[in-house]
Amino acid sequence: MASGTAVVQDPLTPDARRAFLVGMKNRTVAAVGFVGAGRLAASLALGLVEAGYRVTSVASRQLDSARALAAALGPDVEPTTDAARVAEVSSMVFLSVPDAAITPVCQSVPWETRHRVVHCSGALGLDALDAVTRAGGIAGCLHPLQSFPSRSPEPERLRGVCCGVEGAEPLGGELALMVTGLGARPFRLDGVDRRLYHAAAVTVSNHVVALASAAGRLWALSGLPEQLAREALSPLLQAASANVGQMELAAALTGPVARGDVATVEGHLLALAVDPELRELYRALSAELLRLPLSLEAGALSRLRELLEDVHRAE
Ligand SMILES: NC(=O)c1ccc[n+]([C@@H]2O[C@H](COP(=O)([O-])OP(=O)(O)OC[C@H]3O[C@@H](n4cnc5c(N)ncnc54)[C@H](OP(=O)(O)O)[C@@H]3O)[C@@H](O)[C@H]2O)c1
């Protein structure tokens, strides 16, 4: 993990709450607009309205999308298909469009020096918003480490989650304040390798789905009915995930590697010969576990290393 700049601030402390209220009173951001009315925008925009921000307008490719979100935000919010109209009536504009559309949409708007323009992509740096800086405005990023699967606004999904923020001052500070107002926890992304940062988020969120898929295939190969896999394995997945959130990783780990149970791991690898791809996945993930500070007896550790880490091992 990159170190140094990424300090998480806890919005729930009285000091952070006080700083938010003082900041809100003195804030220079008068009006917030959205270009993009999808899943992220729905929850973020309603969260901002609930935190006391004034959302002026929402643009989307299809007027119906903009209308649906504007209606959820309040009677004064203007729906439009014109991104330039959002810029006209807002000083802070979120480009909450898909990653591939951020730069083209940004280049299509006549920005001015008064604009702060923010994207919500974890993978893209601020260079995606070069058109804003060229026009004398300030570019920024606000990236919630959360998944928003639906267009129904769910601002509660933001509460307690960490949000990366980036931007030259005063925008960086304004975004941190905004995150606090949303009930989330800001940390700075300045200087962070965004591809690796985003790969970390993808690994923990998307790859859990890949693990569930692999476990389902193993389940079926074992002879059990496929349709029972999700119901039977989900409680295990949820318990493991809760443990990861509550304790050190080495303490959260249970199972044969944590116990130094070499014979069980050998048995798994032998049985996994039925599907070499699943066996390699099992081996790679188990080898990652050996990086944890586990209390294993030296003989068991060295045998597990031979089994799991030696890519040139004899089959
Ligand atoms: N969803 C998440 O879980 C999540 C989490 C963290 C960060 N993010 C980030 O949030 C951003 C938006 O993602 P999303 O999941 O909310 O996307 P989404 O649900 O697909 O919504 C995208 C919105 O942008 C509009 N749009 C697409 N192309 C456009 C264009 N060329 N001009 C104007 N509007 C356009 C769409 O319009 P129509 O509806 O009219 O077609 C839609 O309203 C991305 O940068 C993503 O990385 C998303």
Side-chain angles (χ1 to χ4, degrees), residues 250-315:
L253 182 67
T254 59
V257 169
R259 289 193 297 270
D261 185 350
V262 176
T264 298
V265 173
E266 274 174 328
H268 290 169
L269 289 170
L270 277 175
L272 280 161
V274 291
D275 190 321
E277 283 180 6
L278 284 175
R279 185 179 51 189
E280 284 319 295
L281 183 64
Y282 176 98
R283 207 192 297 264
L285 292 168
S286 301
E288 180 65 27
L289 295 178
L290 291 181
R291 291 172 174 271
L292 297 173
L294 303 172
S295 321
L296 292 179
E297 187 259 313
L301 179 60
S302 101
R303 184 68 188 123
L304 285 172
R305 284 206 168 120
E306 278 169 30
L307 285 170
L308 300 170
E309 289 179 348
D310 178 8
V311 288
H312 304 299
R313 70 225 154 250
E315 294 301 339

Side-chain angles (χ1 to χ4, degrees), residues 35-41 60-62 65 96-99 101-102 105 120-122 143-144 146-148 151:
V35 178
R39 290 165 290 185
L40 184 271
S60 203
R61 274 181 314 195
Q62 302 171 63
S65 302
S96 45
V97 295
D99 286 15
I102 290 172
V105 168
C120 299
S121 164
H143 177 243
Q146 175 60 294
S147 151
F148 301 90
R151 284 194 180 204

Side-chain angles (χ1 to χ4, degrees), residues 28-29 53 92 116 169-179:
T28 48
V29 175
Y53 287 86
M92 182 183 282
R116 289 124 157 83
E169 295 309 328
L171 180 59
E174 287 168 0
L175 291 175
L177 193 65
M178 192 173 248
V179 166

